[in-house]
């Protein structure tokens, strides 16, 4: 004789043979069939339950951790919540900060990603390098420096990890491409 079980997730009727025992996962949706992670709503208000039935609330958390560890999942989400990140710890100042950062990056011509953390970087300013600070190399192929002095760089800063990086200014890029395209 076989026993019938209904999957609480997809509501499919599952028939199993007592010789092999009950299914641990639904063959249709793949979810667990045990009462683990199942919440029942709308019980009788006058009905009281034993502590043994309810279990230890701390035990549930330990079971969940063991399940994550056995499945090979990262427990980084708990660290993420403990460090004050997440939707529950968002306040007006952090939302205003994100809004301001979005408006600034919308106005930039270029918005590079931070090489360290992959966040969008803010344009911090330009720097002219010339005189003794920059001595251009003269290439034998070109017969002149690829980038003559003064050189202008655009600096970017990451608002998350504060990493800085620089790129050539658009005018210096064009000059470099012209000199590389027409070797004398």
């Amino acid at each position: 004789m076989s026993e019938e079980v209904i999957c609480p997730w997809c509501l499919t009727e599952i028939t199993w043979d007592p010789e092999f025992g009950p299914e641990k996962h639904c063959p249709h949706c793949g979810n667990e069939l045990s009462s683990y992670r199942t919440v029942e709503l709308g019980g009788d208000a006058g009905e009281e339950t034993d502590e043994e039935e309810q279990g230890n609330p701390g035990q549930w958390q330990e079971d969940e951790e063991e399940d994550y560890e056995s499945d090979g999942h990262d427990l980084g989400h708990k660290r993420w919540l403990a460090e004050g990140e997440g939707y529950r710890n968002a306040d007006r100042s952090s939302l205003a900060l994100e809004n301001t950062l979005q408006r600034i990056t919308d106005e930039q011509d270029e918005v590079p990603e931070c090489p360290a953390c992959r966040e969008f970087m803010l344009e911090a300013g330009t720097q002219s390098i010339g005189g003794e600070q920059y001595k251009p190399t003269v290439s034998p192929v070109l017969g002149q420096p690829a980038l003559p002095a003064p050189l202008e760089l655009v600096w970017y800063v990451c608002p998350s990890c504060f990493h800085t990086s620089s790129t050539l200014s658009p005018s210096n890029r064009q000059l470099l491409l012209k000199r590389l395209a027409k070797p004398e």
Side-chain angles (χ1 to χ4, degrees), residues 107-119:
E107 295 296 319
Q108 290 180 198
D109 289 335
E110 295 178 1
V111 185
E113 283 187 355
C114 175
C117 70
R118 312 302 285 173
E119 289 289 328

Side-chain angles (χ1 to χ4, degrees), residues 67-178:
D67 185 48
Y68 273 110
E69 289 169 359
S70 66
D71 288 348
H73 289 88
D74 183 21
L75 294 176
H77 68 283
K78 291 184 184 204
R79 184 174 55 251
W80 180 68
L81 289 172
E83 290 174 355
E85 298 293 328
Y87 67 93
R88 292 184 185 200
N89 294 323
D91 58 357
R92 285 184 167 209
S93 63
S94 64
L95 293 174
L97 173 68
E98 287 185 28
N99 184 28
T100 303
L101 292 173
Q102 182 66 44
R103 290 185 13 225
I104 291 171
T105 55
D106 287 346
E107 295 296 319
Q108 290 180 198
D109 289 335
E110 295 178 1
V111 185
E113 283 187 355
C114 175
C117 70
R118 312 302 285 173
E119 289 289 328
F120 290 126
M121 299 182 82
L122 303 177
E123 186 175 327
T126 59
Q127 178 183 15
S128 293
I129 302 174
E132 292 182 21
Q133 295 174 340
Y134 175 68
K135 182 179 177 185
T137 302
V138 177
S139 169
V141 174
L142 296 176
Q144 62 182 347
L147 288 170
L151 178 68
E152 192 170 277
L153 299 174
V154 180
W155 280 94
Y156 294 93
V157 64
C158 176
S160 292
C161 70
F162 306 107
H163 180 84
T164 58
S165 66
S166 63
T167 60
L168 284 174
S169 67
S171 60
N172 282 120
R173 291 179 205 170
Q174 292 298 322
L175 180 62
L176 175 65
L177 292 176
K178 281 182 188 176

Side-chain angles (χ1 to χ4, degrees), residues 1-8 12-28 33-34:
M1 170 138 188
S2 63
E3 186 176 327
E4 295 176 359
V5 175
I6 297 194
C7 174
T12 305
E13 189 174 309
I14 302 164
T15 306
W16 54 273
D17 188 353
E19 185 178 319
F20 296 109
E23 297 280 340
K24 292 184 180 187
H25 293 88
C26 174
H28 301 284
L33 293 175
S34 65

Side-chain angles (χ1 to χ4, degrees), residues 9-80:
W9 306 100
C10 67
L11 301 176
T12 305
E13 189 174 309
I14 302 164
T15 306
W16 54 273
D17 188 353
E19 185 178 319
F20 296 109
E23 297 280 340
K24 292 184 180 187
H25 293 88
C26 174
H28 301 284
C29 67
N31 284 307
E32 293 180 35
L33 293 175
S34 65
S35 63
Y36 178 70
R37 296 187 192 151
T38 301
V39 177
E40 293 183 21
L41 302 175
D44 291 338
E47 194 175 294
E48 292 191 26
T49 58
D50 296 10
E51 281 186 59
E52 294 174 12
E53 251 183 78
Q54 289 180 347
N56 180 0
Q59 182 65 36
W60 178 82
Q61 186 176 9
E62 291 172 14
D63 291 344
E64 183 183 1
E65 287 177 9
E66 289 173 9
D67 185 48
Y68 273 110
E69 289 169 359
S70 66
D71 288 348
H73 289 88
D74 183 21
L75 294 176
H77 68 283
K78 291 184 184 204
R79 184 174 55 251
W80 180 68

